[in-house]
Amino acid sequence: MDNKCKRAYITTPIYYVNDIPHIGHAYTTIICDTLARYSRLIGLETFFLTGTDEHGQKIEEAAKKRGKSAQQYADEISGYFKNLWDEFEISYDKFIRTTDKEHMKGVQKAFEVMYEKGDIYKDMYEGHYCVSCESFFTKNQLIDNEYCPDCGKPTNIVKEESYFFKLSKYEKKLLEWYNDEENCVLPKGKKNEVISFVEQGLKDLSVTRTSFDWGVKLPKSINDPKHVMYVWLDALLNYITALGYGSDEKLMKFWPATVHVVGKDILRFHAIYWPAFLMSLDLPLPKHVAAHGWWTRNGEKMSKSKGNVVNPRDVSNAYGLENFRYFMLREVPFGQDGDFSQKALMDRINSDLGNDLGNLLNRVLGMSGKYFDMKIDSKNVEKYHKKELDAAKEIIDGLQSYIFDMQLNRYLEGLWKILTIANQSIAIYEPWKMMKEEREDEAMALVALIANLLVKVTILLHPVMPKNTQKIAGVFGIDIDTKSYEKYIYNFELIQSAKLTKIPPLFPKIEKMLMPSPEPTTNKEVKTEKNEKIKTEDIGIITIEQFFQTKLKIGTILEAEDIEGSDRLLKLQVDLGEEKPRQIVAGIKAYYKPEELVNTQICVVSNLKPAKIFGHKSEGMLLAAKDKNSLSLMRPQSKVANGSSVG
Ligand code: MSP
């Protein structure tokens, strides 16, 4: 992104309708939504596009499998995407579908322009096709002469008449583009991969298919009805047909795109084919194509067959949409892969949001309430805290460049540095001492400093957490919009005086994992002490998430009695801090007398499925250490509250 122009055009890839949305899709969309909200906040006229990619052999086959027409099937899945984005309050300006009439008209128009220019010619295609990636490959590119180098699935041999796009003609021009526009492809490492791919030489690209029907027909002027357009040509053109290319052209003022955000797997299409198509159409090239990494689960690619796909709706329902947004953007540097874990998500919520941000807000409210009747006044902030203000200003001045380079994690880190300045100032200047020593002016300046730093962070955090930040801004009586951005960020003004309003805590502590979904069994590679690689399943290693599925709790034994007829079992009533005591049947009769157990604490596996043992219900299991001769119950070293968790 850059701020030289007054407009921003931001796009997500259009999602295939062969699958329902998962966190990978949500990630791309949340990045783009954040960029779009940021652009609007700083006052750019913004257009944000998303949508669905509905043609091609893959979709035709998926529909057939389910006994539906391709159109019915596409309608259904496209609806899932749109509904989810609406539920997530994604601020898109247009949701395009490649089955939209206007889009198809625009695609035909583009094909005609390229054809008339002499960039498209007819020939025979002979090679290999991966339906899953909708990609052509030469035999040399395949793995073991058969498998797709991108996804590993078997490819089909294709021999059919095809129209070709003269990609080779644009090789030099593409290399010039990469050379002249330093940030045209981001991040830099990915750009280098693209350059070396192009330097190895580009072959002309087959851009039509005849072996199936589900696609855009060629323009009438070409009169060749058995061909449909290659799905990637059709799909990439969405970025201009959405602006009216080939129809009313009304929104073409937004072209060229500020940024196409894509996953690393589809960078080649966006950084090589797409600019070549645009050169052929004599249209300007996008400012940036930015490739993010992949979300994995326990280091593995997510897939339906492994059962490890994370559903973004589940995460958002369990942990809160804005917390989820913050986590995704903060956790992983743009361009790198990231592993999804509930533990990491909880840590971000409790630590960054709860402690650093939420507590700071509470402290400002607390101090202004206790000392100043909820009022703040900034008149002495400059006098006593120029150093802190200057440090915050320097951070803020550097933040925009992180957005332009797509480093949203660094942007957020910057905001958290400002929160650290605020939190540390309280510890350093000790306002309670100031009040004791009747240095009220100084105490007020400090509270106002914290309030002002919070306001600035809140405005800049708004694109990531739109609702919570409005609530925080409300505490200080301000709205977040372009005007307040200009005032408090661009001009770095301070809020003069304000009466603060209390709000309920925004980031309550999350004590336990909130999603029921089972963690997949993994067979990750780990290294032994001797540096040998072995698979975790082979040595019985589990992940931290797997461990935390077992909920261990401390409880007090209220009653203990023999179970008649059994020489092994005792029946216990255990208080785990719940409404009712739990009944637990345990095989400890040989080691403990009932009366010596009463009023002692033990450790219990509390989320075991209840069972019947010797005809008695048992709602948990005790932990004990056992050797050949003895058994010893696991207990806390000193008394803790019943229900305390262990881990
Ligand atoms: N239809 C094409 C895009 C055409 S754009 C003109 C497509 N669709 S997709 O649905 O398969 O993928 C859409 C996006 O989701 C891609 O950017 C892809 O990288 C991203 N992701 C799919 N799985 C992902 C993860 N596990 N993690 C992060 N993003 C991933 O490709």
Side-chain angles (χ1 to χ4, degrees):
M1 308 217 352
D2 64 60
N3 55 355
K4 277 179 228 117
C5 68
K6 296 220 165 348
R7 290 195 187 98
Y9 179 30
I10 292 153
T11 71
T12 73
I14 45 172
Y15 302 109
Y16 281 132
V17 291
N18 68 325
D19 206 355
I20 55 172
H22 59 67
I23 59 162
H25 303 125
Y27 181 52
T28 325
T29 307
I30 287 168
I31 292 174
C32 291
D33 185 59
T34 302
L35 295 177
R37 287 176 186 270
Y38 181 85
S39 309
R40 293 187 196 108
L41 183 66
I42 67 172
L44 303 183
E45 190 186 357
T46 301
F47 195 76
F48 169 22
L49 176 70
T50 190
T52 43
D53 186 356
E54 305 182 12
H55 288 128
Q57 198 171 351
K58 173 155 75 171
I59 311 297
E60 191 179 81
E61 287 178 6
K64 230 183 245 161
K65 243 197 225 160
R66 290 162 180 83
K68 294 191 175 159
S69 76
Q71 186 66 58
Q72 264 174 345
Y73 179 63
D75 288 347
E76 194 181 303
I77 311 277
S78 176
Y80 282 147
F81 276 96
K82 190 161 181 301
N83 286 344
L84 182 69
W85 301 154
D86 289 341
E87 216 175 291
F88 275 19
E89 298 184 38
I90 299 298
S91 63
Y92 61 82
D93 295 288
K94 184 176 168 87
F95 185 98
I96 192 170
R97 300 182 54 183
T98 53
T99 49
D100 289 342
K101 278 211 177 71
E102 298 297 275
H103 166 78
M104 298 205 278
K105 216 167 112 190
V107 172
Q108 289 176 327
K109 162 87 195 276
F111 196 95
E112 217 163 24
V113 172
M114 293 173 179
Y115 185 78
E116 275 162 19
K117 194 171 179 182
D119 280 352
I120 286 181
Y121 62 93
K122 195 161 155 178
D123 205 339
M124 270 309 278
Y125 178 78
E126 231 185 306
H128 300 260
Y129 195 73
C130 173
V131 177
S132 181
C133 298
E134 298 280 17
S135 292
F136 297 97
F137 295 104
T138 60
K139 197 163 184 189
N140 301 340
Q141 291 173 310
L142 301 182
I143 299 169
D144 293 341
N145 293 326
E146 188 185 349
Y147 300 100
C148 171
D150 288 344
C151 72
K153 293 188 183 143
T155 52
N156 298 336
I157 296 177
V158 171
K159 187 172 178 189
E160 57 190 42
E161 182 186 280
S162 177
Y163 286 82
F164 284 81
F165 173 75
K166 286 187 182 166
L167 188 61
S168 54
K169 170 177 161 188
Y170 292 99
E171 201 176 292
K172 245 180 96 192
K173 273 181 106 180
L174 282 168
L175 289 169
E176 276 165 24
W177 183 51
Y178 306 138
N179 189 45
D180 296 346
E181 300 295 331
E182 199 190 336
N183 290 329
C184 61
V185 179
L186 292 167
K188 297 246 160 66
K190 293 272 184 292
K191 182 181 173 188
N192 293 337
E193 285 172 26
V194 169
I195 293 175
S196 65
F197 187 92
V198 176
E199 279 173 344
Q200 283 165 33
L202 293 175
K203 289 210 163 58
D204 290 350
L205 181 71
S206 166
V207 286
T208 67
R209 304 285 315 274
T210 55
S211 52
F212 69 98
D213 280 337
W214 183 236
V216 181
K217 299 263 178 272
L218 299 202
K220 286 224 170 68
S221 57
I222 295 178
N223 192 19
D224 210 344
K226 58 179 188 302
H227 288 260
V228 293
M229 251 170 272
Y230 173 42
V231 63
W232 271 102
L233 174 62
D234 166 4
L236 287 162
L237 285 162
N238 94 89
Y239 299 130
I240 52 174
T241 61
L243 302 180
Y245 178 86
S247 51
D248 63 13
E249 309 260 324
K250 264 196 192 136
L251 295 166
M252 281 303 278
K253 65 177 180 186
F254 283 102
W255 190 257
T258 314
V259 61
H260 297 306
V261 178
V262 300
K264 62 180 182 180
D265 52 316
I266 57 171
L267 180 61
R268 184 167 25 113
F269 300 95
H270 284 82
I272 302 174
Y273 299 176
W274 177 227
F277 294 155
L278 287 166
M279 286 172 188
S280 175
L281 295 172
D282 288 317
L283 285 173
L285 305 188
K287 296 255 170 52
H288 309 284
V289 175
H292 63 69
W294 273 51
W295 282 91
T296 56
R297 199 76 193 279
N298 297 314
E300 291 187 2
K301 207 171 153 179
M302 279 182 255
S303 77
K304 268 194 270 181
S305 57
K306 283 191 206 130
N308 62 352
V309 175
V310 181
N311 180 338
R313 187 180 268 123
D314 289 348
V315 184
S316 160
N317 285 344
Y319 291 94
L321 173 62
E322 297 201 347
N323 295 344
F324 176 42
R325 285 172 69 105
Y326 173 80
F327 166 75
M328 293 215 114
L329 300 179
R330 176 70 191 265
E331 189 68 8
V332 194
F334 188 85
Q336 291 181 21
D337 291 347
D339 205 51
F340 180 84
S341 89
Q342 292 195 65
K343 175 83 176 53
L345 173 56
M346 281 164 62
D347 283 350
R348 286 284 174 205
I349 297 172
N350 289 340
S351 159
D352 298 12
L353 297 174
N355 289 347
D356 302 340
L357 177 60
N359 278 351
L360 187 66
L361 178 65
N362 288 343
R363 293 176 89 181
V364 173
L365 285 167
M367 291 188 292
S368 74
K370 190 163 169 198
Y371 306 139
F372 305 117
D373 192 23
M374 298 301 282
K375 286 195 200 95
I376 57 156
D377 189 327
S378 298
K379 66 175 188 285
N380 287 321
V381 178
E382 298 252 19
K383 180 172 159 196
Y384 291 113
H385 295 292
K386 185 157 179 344
K387 195 176 85 194
E388 286 80 12
L389 284 178
D390 287 349
K393 179 152 186 352
E394 201 184 321
I395 296 171
I396 288 177
D397 288 346
L399 285 180
Q400 204 161 51
S401 71
Y402 291 135
I403 296 263
F404 299 158
D405 290 345
M406 301 292 299
Q407 300 189 59
L408 292 173
N409 65 312
R410 307 278 303 268
Y411 176 82
L412 289 170
E413 272 164 34
L415 294 183
W416 256 251
K417 279 189 191 147
I418 301 174
L419 293 180
T420 305
I421 296 177
N423 275 311
Q424 283 176 349
S425 300
I426 303 177
I428 295 168
Y429 297 104
E430 302 182 315
W432 47 92
K433 252 197 196 160
M434 292 171 168
M435 290 305 286
K436 242 194 207 156
E437 294 163 8
E438 292 181 9
R439 289 148 56 209
E440 273 196 23
D441 269 10
E442 286 178 52
M444 175 57 100
L446 179 69
V447 177
L449 167 76
I450 312 295
N452 275 289
L453 294 181
L454 253 176
V455 163
K456 294 190 191 311
V457 168
T458 302
I459 293 173
L460 287 164
L461 186 60
H462 180 65
V464 179
M465 308 188 83
K467 283 203 168 137
N468 279 320
T469 48
Q470 285 291 10
K471 285 186 196 155
I472 300 176
V475 168
F476 303 97
I478 61 167
D479 273 337
I480 304 181
D481 51 25
T482 306
K483 255 199 192 148
S484 53
Y485 173 84
E486 263 179 26
K487 192 166 173 187
Y488 300 115
I489 304 297
Y490 197 71
N491 298 330
F492 210 76
E493 285 178 36
L494 302 181
I495 37 170
Q496 284 315 316
S497 58
K499 175 126 183 156
L500 309 192
T501 321
K502 275 206 164 124
I503 52 169
L506 294 173
F507 310 106
K509 189 161 180 170
I510 297 178
E511 306 274 1
K512 54 178 184 17
M513 287 184 202
L514 299 174
M515 283 200 311
S517 66
E519 297 292 324
T521 34
T522 53
N523 203 11
K524 238 189 195 167
E525 267 185 353
V526 293
K527 283 192 180 155
T528 64
E529 278 168 21
K530 288 184 198 151
N531 227 11
E532 297 156 343
K533 280 185 183 170
I534 42 173
K535 302 267 184 180
T536 52
E537 271 173 11
D538 302 337
I539 54 169
I541 285 179
I542 58 166
T543 60
I544 185 94
E545 288 85 353
Q546 285 170 320
F547 170 76
F548 276 112
Q549 280 180 3
T550 309
K551 304 271 180 278
L552 299 177
K553 284 191 180 169
I554 299 297
T556 300
I557 301 176
L558 304 177
E559 291 171 32
E561 59 180 299
D562 280 335
I563 291 188
E564 258 188 41
S566 164
D567 50 8
R568 228 172 48 80
L569 300 173
L570 291 182
K571 188 163 81 181
L572 314 173
Q573 305 301 326
V574 183
D575 180 356
L576 284 181
E578 298 165 330
E579 248 173 52
K580 284 195 323 212
R582 295 227 199 164
Q583 175 164 296
I584 295 176
V585 176
I588 54 175
K589 197 170 179 172
Y591 309 95
Y592 290 94
K593 291 201 178 74
E595 55 277 19
E596 61 174 301
L597 288 171
V598 174
N599 270 333
T600 65
Q601 288 200 306
I602 47 167
C603 182
V604 174
V605 179
S606 67
N607 59 339
L608 264 191
K609 201 170 154 197
K612 265 217 162 123
I613 303 178
F614 220 76
H616 297 263
K617 188 168 77 176
S618 183
E619 304 166 301
M621 187 176 95
L622 308 187
L623 292 192
K626 207 174 167 197
D627 63 17
K628 258 200 289 184
N629 311 312
S630 56
L631 177 144
S632 173
L633 285 171
M634 298 283 102
R635 308 177 184 285
Q637 213 179 3
S638 53
K639 197 161 184 217
V640 294
N642 289 330
S644 299
S645 59
V646 179

